């Protein structure tokens, strides 16, 4: 059975006790400590090395987002707060979930299941959970007009520049048009999983089946048997990525 260490961070002692009681009913979770502010949390993180933080946004001194920026290693984040106002920012910093107070036990169970599933997939693929914070993106926020949508990174087939926007092509055939340039995507996406093959296209490396030379061009062929021209200056990097 998976056992994960959780640290609770909130400036309200009643909330901390409530969360501790809720998590006590989840066999996979071990609450290793609680903190009333961000500095206490950083000290506990150094000693306890938790796997996940249940973190409030508003706290005296350093807030929850500032704490995330100071984390010494990769830790999963589940925000627990009173308002939906910060949900977009939370997912932009790769939070696993965003729970509203008072926390619904069923909703918490669902969040923990997602956490365990994420850890299991990463373990199967050899993904490390130490190192640079936020490097590995499991879920990605798509800024769409009038809605909030979160997608799994592994469900992205590729991205294509479209004027000042970009199109996100999903493995199930869905296409989303996003007000984000390909340059921005290149900065946000994990370079170990996504590669920009030319000025207009980023592909998920796991969807590329073959790279070949045809006449004067280098082509990559994806799992849909679509062919893309790889710009000359990006050929070497693509081959290194695929051979790694």
């Amino acid at each position: 059975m998976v056992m994960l260490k959780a640290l609770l961070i909130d400036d309200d002692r009643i909330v901390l006790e409530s969360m501790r009681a809720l998590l006590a009913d989840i066999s996979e979770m071990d609450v290793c400590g609680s903190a009333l502010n961000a500095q206490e949390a950083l000290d506990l993180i150094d000693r306890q090395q938790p796997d996940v933080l249940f973190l409030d946004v508003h706290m005296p001194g350093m807030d929850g987002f500032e704490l995330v920026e100071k984390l010494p290693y990769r830790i999963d984040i589940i925000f627990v707060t009173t308002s939906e106002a910060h949900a977009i920012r939370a997912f932009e910093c790769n939070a696993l979930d965003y729970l509203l107070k008072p926390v619904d036990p069923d909703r918490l169970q669902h969040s923990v299941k997602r956490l365990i599933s994420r850890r299991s997939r990463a373990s199967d693929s050899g993904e490390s959970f130490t190192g640079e914070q936020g490097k590995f993106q499991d879920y990605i926020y798509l800024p769409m007009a009038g809605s909030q949508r979160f997608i799994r990174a592994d469900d992205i087939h590729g991205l294509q520049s479209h004027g000042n926007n970009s199109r996100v092509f999903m493995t199930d055939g869905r296409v989303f048009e996003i007000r984000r340039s390909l340059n921005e995507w290149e900065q946000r996406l994990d370079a170990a999983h996504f590669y920009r093959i030319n000025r207009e296209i980023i592909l998920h490396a796991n969807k590329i089946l073959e790279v070949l030379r045809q006449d004067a061009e280098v082509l990559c062929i994806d799992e849909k048997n679509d062919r893309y021209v790889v710009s000359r200056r990006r050929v070497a990097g693509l081959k290194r990525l695929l051979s790694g």
Side-chain angles (χ1 to χ4, degrees):
M1 180 180 68
V2 176
M3 179 63 73
L4 299 176
K5 295 171 67 174
L7 180 64
L8 315 180
I9 309 163
D10 199 295
D11 61 342
D12 188 328
R13 293 182 185 274
I14 295 176
V15 171
L16 290 176
E17 290 306 313
S18 174
M19 286 297 299
R20 186 181 288 273
L22 289 172
L23 290 169
D25 292 332
I26 302 177
S27 58
E28 297 89 350
M29 301 301 297
D30 173 30
V31 177
C32 64
S34 59
L36 291 166
N37 58 61
Q39 189 55 58
E40 279 186 28
L42 288 171
D43 293 339
L44 280 171
I45 288 167
D46 185 54
R47 298 199 303 270
Q48 297 290 344
Q49 299 286 295
D51 300 300
V52 57
L53 307 182
F54 290 87
L55 174 62
D56 192 11
V57 173
H58 296 292
M59 294 182 292
M62 195 187 311
D63 68 20
F65 293 113
E66 291 172 312
L67 171 60
V68 169
E69 292 177 358
K70 293 181 179 295
L71 293 178
Y73 65 95
R74 168 78 187 284
I75 310 176
D76 278 307
I77 306 294
I78 296 175
F79 280 100
V80 182
T81 191
T82 56
S83 168
E84 295 180 347
H86 302 285
I88 292 176
R89 186 178 176 190
F91 282 97
E92 285 182 334
C93 71
N94 297 329
L96 179 70
D97 212 341
Y98 191 91
L99 306 180
L100 294 179
K101 302 175 185 177
V103 174
D104 178 75
D106 291 338
R107 183 70 178 81
L108 179 61
Q109 286 272 6
H110 174 74
S111 187
V112 170
K113 286 181 181 178
R114 282 185 58 198
L115 171 61
I116 293 170
S117 175
R118 170 184 178 138
R119 289 264 167 173
S120 296
R121 288 196 306 272
S123 177
D124 291 343
S125 65
E127 184 72 40
S128 172
F129 272 80
T130 60
E132 183 181 351
Q133 169 68 21
K135 180 182 177 183
F136 177 76
Q137 289 182 298
D138 187 6
Y139 285 83
I140 294 174
Y141 167 69
L142 295 185
M144 304 176 69
S147 68
Q148 297 178 9
R149 187 181 295 271
F150 306 94
I151 59 172
R152 287 188 64 230
D154 277 346
D155 291 336
I156 298 176
H157 185 86
L159 305 99
Q160 182 179 38
S161 177
H162 189 241
N164 294 325
N165 299 340
S166 56
R167 287 177 174 167
V168 181
F169 294 87
M170 308 297 290
T171 54
D172 62 6
R174 290 177 297 165
V175 180
F176 303 113
E177 182 149 342
I178 307 298
R179 292 180 61 84
R180 182 178 290 167
S181 71
L182 219 59
N183 287 338
E184 291 177 276
W185 276 116
E186 194 172 17
Q187 294 299 315
R188 289 172 179 265
L189 293 171
D190 179 7
H193 296 82
F194 291 89
Y195 191 76
R196 187 168 183 173
I197 62 169
N198 57 42
R199 292 180 60 189
E200 297 187 345
I201 300 289
I202 293 175
L203 290 178
H204 194 306
N206 291 346
K207 319 302 180 187
I208 299 173
L209 298 183
E210 186 179 2
V211 178
L212 56 85
R213 185 173 297 277
Q214 188 174 81
D215 299 325
E217 294 181 329
V218 173
L219 305 177
C220 66
I221 303 174
D222 67 11
E223 60 188 15
K224 298 179 181 179
N225 208 34
D226 291 330
R227 298 186 171 207
Y228 304 88
V229 176
V230 183
S231 66
R232 291 184 179 181
R233 68 186 185 90
R234 294 183 177 268
V235 170
L238 179 59
K239 289 183 176 179
R240 282 196 302 269
L241 176 62
L242 296 180
S243 64

